[in-house]
Amino acid sequence: MSDAPLIRMSGIRRAFPGVQAVDGVDFYLAAGEIVGLVGKNGAGKSTLLKILAGIVAPDEGEIAIDGTPVHLPYGPVDAGRMGIAVVHQELEIVPGLSVAENVAVGAGFPRRRLSGAVDWRALRKAAREIIDDLHPGIDPATAAGELSLAQQRLVMIARAIYRRARVVILDEPSAALNDEEITQLHGVVRRLAERGCAVVYVSHRLQEILDLTERTVVMRDAHVVDERATAEFTHAALVEAITGHEGFDATVTRPAAAALGDPVLEVEGLTRSGSVEDVSFTLHRGEVLGLAGLVGAGRTELARLIAGADRADRGVVRVRGRETRLRTPRDAVQAGIALVPEDRRNEGLLTQASVRFNVTLATLPKYRRGRLPVPSRGRERQAVATEVERLAISPGDPERTVSQLSGGNLQKVVIAKWLERDSEILIFDEPTQGIDVEAKAKALGMARALAARGGAVLLIASDFSELVSTCDRVLVLREGRLVGELSGEEVSDRRIVELCYRDQAEPASEHQRLSNKKGTP
Amino acid sequence: MSSESVVQAAANAGRGRSRGVARLVLQNAVIAAMVLTFVAFSLAKPESFFTMLTFKAILRDASPLLILALGITVVLVVNEFDLSVGGLAGLTSTLAVLGVSGAHFGLSVPLAVALTLVAGGLLASINGFLIAYLGASSFIVTLGMGTVFNGLEVQILGANTIYEEIPAAYGEIANGSFLGLSNQIFIALGVMLVIGVLLHQFELGRYLYAIGGNREATRLSGVRVRLVLLVAFVIAGVCAAIAGILVSAQAGSANPNAGIGFLLPAYAAAFLGSSMWRPGTFTVAGTVLGTLFLQIIGTGLTLFSISGALVSIIQGGILVAAVVISRLGRDG
């Protein structure tokens, strides 16, 4: 055995249209080591790990296993053969199959020598040995779908061992687990390392990174910005490294603080179990209110509740002071609430239909000429032409099929539909996702313009600097709960990140201050 | 529309000329095949096929099929299936005959017809409710309901044919003529007009196409998606009832399993139609042409005294070929 680390990635670069996701990263893993990988949304963690797992090919760079460079690019199957296994956040278990089958699926079942039939007893024995070693108590014969989320994660880890993985990548394995389950999970991860596996542990919960890992790698803006033995990090130092010192806050201009208008949307105790917990806030006329949080914090889920796309279990919503039931999207639309979804192609538009068809869909009765429910094409064209001009949709032909438009223009078509309806409350879910830099600035400018015209905007963005440059106030969600509200000078990238990462173990001073504030409106 | 698509084709040709031309040919392959078939029959049998009498017969015989196919078209537009319309047409044909027959209820013809149409709509609304509001798969639900409808029909008839005391006015619905053309043709034209205006002019049609294009985006736009889906199935049910009435009126009796044979040709007509202009888009004009195409083949081949089995093979083959060709046209 040489002294070379198990995995060495050097000079890795990868660009996607409009963004350099990973920019000259060196990363190594030694056998038996637990390495924490942290960073904001979009810092480049996922891309780096996808490159290691063969899911994404690097543009440049070298990967060596046991000191021997491997041939690039390689696919996920090659990565598996080389002993690299990924446990994704979305579990890839087959619910109807037994635990034992799930452990072996894809890697080949043991066979009987004579008949070639599956040797079920040997399979169950092999699965039981692996599982008992990790965390006894799961019967390999149970259907995997009957297990808890935590147990299903365990099955996925057992699958990695069954495949003789030497590197196990755990992508947010503690998401949606409770404290006790997390403790169990940590036990399993340590056992994995004792067996000689190198473990990469990705998490947004910094406390568990500090508790569990031996070395921590911090990524920011496509680079590795800090890398130390975890013992040398403190919670504060980690937050510091994740946010960065240079603070690009200085480069963005905050909107001038305007006096808040009347409340148009008041949300009280909104809850949908498992995704949104007891969220209360107020949105005012003329305001752009940011909604920040890490992936999985419940931002989109909250937006969907307000847009009536999903039903809330509890909570009250008042629109312009009147209590409003939002049981279907139609309820929300009629109350003047409009959602511009993140997945515009699947949730916002009919891509095979024309611009006119899309823009007028929510307002067809407006274009009737007589009494019959027959929209007049002429009136429709007129209305669409107005919106095309107002939003500078290009190309401006109302009969153009939507699928031929660029990402930024697709978004404008969705917005045009809601402007036709005079919707007052607009919810933008990741409006800058998948559009180029220039279009990004325009999209954010549009949010401000809509607010200035007397609307109110709820803006979700994973790039917090966009929230800083656009929003009057920012709400921060973590694990479905509202954990902070920032306004005026407080709104900074740094403060948002701090709130996103603050672990529950710490004193929740901000939250207390908030709840005190709520008493005196 | 056509001048637009020519411009479009020219624009495509700029990127890849041969590709654009190939697509243009493929997109019109079905219409070309239809014209060729017509010409071939006319040349082969000028004395029996290329006659006014045959043309009138083609139109008359295509009528019940067209009405059923138009109903199916509405359901296909929302991207669902209704496999129960064959069974429903059979059941409603029996109900109408029961209604008018002096040996049974002895209702007046207009009343019996109206009640039958209402029954068709109500029975189909069961499909619509299960699919739109309870989220059941339309394929399975309508397959099952079609079997139920057919079973009810057989249960009512008990393997007999009802032909006693049927008023002449009932038979007149299908067998009468106006300006030398069968009444059935005018009824089919009426249904075609209503469905055409509904689908292509009314707001309802816009919602139907929107749901077929992207149900979630349509729901998020505030459209009552479930209600619109329910209405689509009811329209298909009423169309099935009209077709059922025509069939039993023409025969002057209610026969067991009268409607079942219509189901597959009606789907064939709608799919043939959908492969004509914008592949995958169901339109009234497409379904009308598709139905005519099938009927031309059916009537033409009988003039050659070709067996019914062979007619089925040829019609089925043409359907499969048309759907495959239109897919090539879309992806090519």
Side-chain angles (χ1 to χ4, degrees), chain B residues 92-267:
Chain B
T92 47
S93 76
T94 303
L95 291 179
V97 170
L98 275 181
V100 293
S101 165
H104 294 87
F105 292 100
L107 304 173
S108 76
V109 172
L111 182 61
V113 166
L115 286 178
T116 305
L117 297 184
V118 170
L122 282 178
L123 289 169
S125 71
I126 301 173
N127 287 334
F129 176 77
L130 294 175
I131 292 155
Y133 289 86
L134 302 185
S137 148
S138 67
F139 199 89
I140 306 298
V141 164
T142 58
L143 186 63
M145 289 298 286
T147 315
V148 170
F149 294 150
N150 185 238
L152 282 173
E153 180 194 357
V154 174
Q155 186 67 34
I156 292 169
L157 290 174
N160 297 317
T161 299
I162 301 177
Y163 53 85
E164 311 94 336
E165 295 180 49
I166 293 173
Y170 186 67
E172 201 59 17
I173 296 175
N175 298 322
S177 62
F178 180 67
L179 300 176
L181 291 173
S182 163
N183 283 348
Q184 294 191 50
I185 298 172
F186 294 102
I187 293 169
L189 276 176
V191 172
M192 182 184 99
L193 229 86
V194 169
I195 303 265
V197 168
L198 221 53
L199 269 186
H200 303 301
Q201 301 296 330
F202 272 52
E203 283 163 19
L204 176 66
R206 208 68 79 78
Y207 296 141
L208 289 164
Y209 277 106
I211 290 169
N214 185 337
R215 186 175 297 187
E216 182 63 6
T218 308
R219 186 178 82 98
L220 291 176
S221 296
V223 175
R224 276 177 288 209
V225 167
R226 289 182 296 192
L227 182 64
V228 176
L229 277 174
L230 177 74
V231 169
F233 281 96
V234 170
I235 291 173
V238 173
C239 285
I242 298 173
I245 290 168
L246 287 189
V247 169
S248 62
Q250 181 168 0
S253 62
N255 306 294
N257 301 323
I260 291 293
F262 279 109
L263 183 65
L264 288 179
Y267 269 92

Side-chain angles (χ1 to χ4, degrees), chain A residues 132-390:
Chain A
D132 284 357
D133 182 45
L134 292 175
H135 183 79
I138 300 175
D139 179 0
T142 14
E146 290 171 20
L147 300 179
S148 72
L149 197 64
Q151 289 172 319
Q152 291 181 356
R153 286 235 158 81
L154 186 81
V155 172
M156 292 298 299
I157 294 173
R159 182 188 292 177
I161 295 174
Y162 184 85
R163 294 178 179 191
R164 308 194 192 294
R166 297 201 291 159
V167 176
V168 178
I169 299 166
L170 299 170
D171 188 7
E172 299 212 33
S174 59
L177 301 191
N178 65 33
D179 289 349
E180 195 184 329
E181 291 170 328
I182 290 175
T183 311
Q184 281 174 10
L185 174 72
H186 289 180
V188 170
V189 171
R190 290 200 180 94
R191 187 72 201 102
L192 205 54
E194 280 166 25
R195 295 177 66 123
C197 282
V199 181
V200 184
Y201 197 97
V202 180
S203 176
H204 286 308
R205 304 184 186 207
L206 300 184
Q207 196 55 50
E208 67 169 348
I209 294 288
L210 293 170
D211 291 345
L212 178 68
T213 67
E214 291 150 18
R215 184 159 58 90
T216 301
V217 176
V218 184
M219 285 191 75
R220 186 174 72 234
D221 299 335
H223 298 276
V224 169
V225 291
D226 204 343
E227 177 176 0
R228 278 184 256 172
T230 306
E232 293 174 30
F233 273 114
T234 61
H235 195 283
L238 265 183
V239 171
E240 185 89 26
I242 290 167
T243 357
H245 308 273
E246 67 274 46
F248 33 86
D249 291 12
T251 63
V252 296
T253 39
R254 295 265 312 125
L260 291 180
D262 314 326
V264 283
L265 178 74
E266 294 161 90
V267 172
E268 240 177 74
L270 205 61
T271 299
R272 180 176 165 93
S273 65
S275 58
V276 175
E277 298 290 337
D278 193 22
V279 169
S280 305
F281 67 89
T282 303
L283 176 64
H284 304 85
R285 196 175 295 285
E287 181 182 40
V288 179
L289 179 60
L291 206 49
L294 299 165
V295 169
R299 296 167 302 172
T300 296
E301 291 79 359
L302 175 60
R304 285 178 62 87
L305 291 184
I306 297 169
D310 296 321
R311 271 190 209 182
D313 298 328
R314 276 191 305 284
V316 178
V317 174
R318 275 188 292 275
V319 180
R320 291 176 295 274
R322 189 182 307 155
E323 193 172 326
T324 310
R325 294 181 78 181
L326 302 173
R327 294 169 60 222
T328 63
R330 187 178 176 81
D331 293 339
V333 168
Q334 287 183 333
I337 300 171
L339 175 66
V340 183
E342 177 180 4
D343 186 353
R344 297 177 281 273
R345 284 177 186 276
N346 288 317
E347 295 177 3
L349 293 164
L350 290 102
T351 49
Q352 293 309 312
S354 66
V355 171
R356 170 178 59 82
F357 193 112
N358 275 284
V359 170
T360 59
L361 182 61
T363 40
L364 281 181
K366 240 170 88 168
Y367 315 107
R368 288 178 194 174
R369 187 163 277 149
R371 288 188 159 197
L372 289 174
V374 177
S376 136
R377 305 250 156 130
R379 286 191 178 194
E380 282 185 70
R381 285 214 186 91
Q382 226 168 12
V384 174
T386 313
E387 298 297 347
V388 162
E389 203 186 308
R390 175 150 66 169

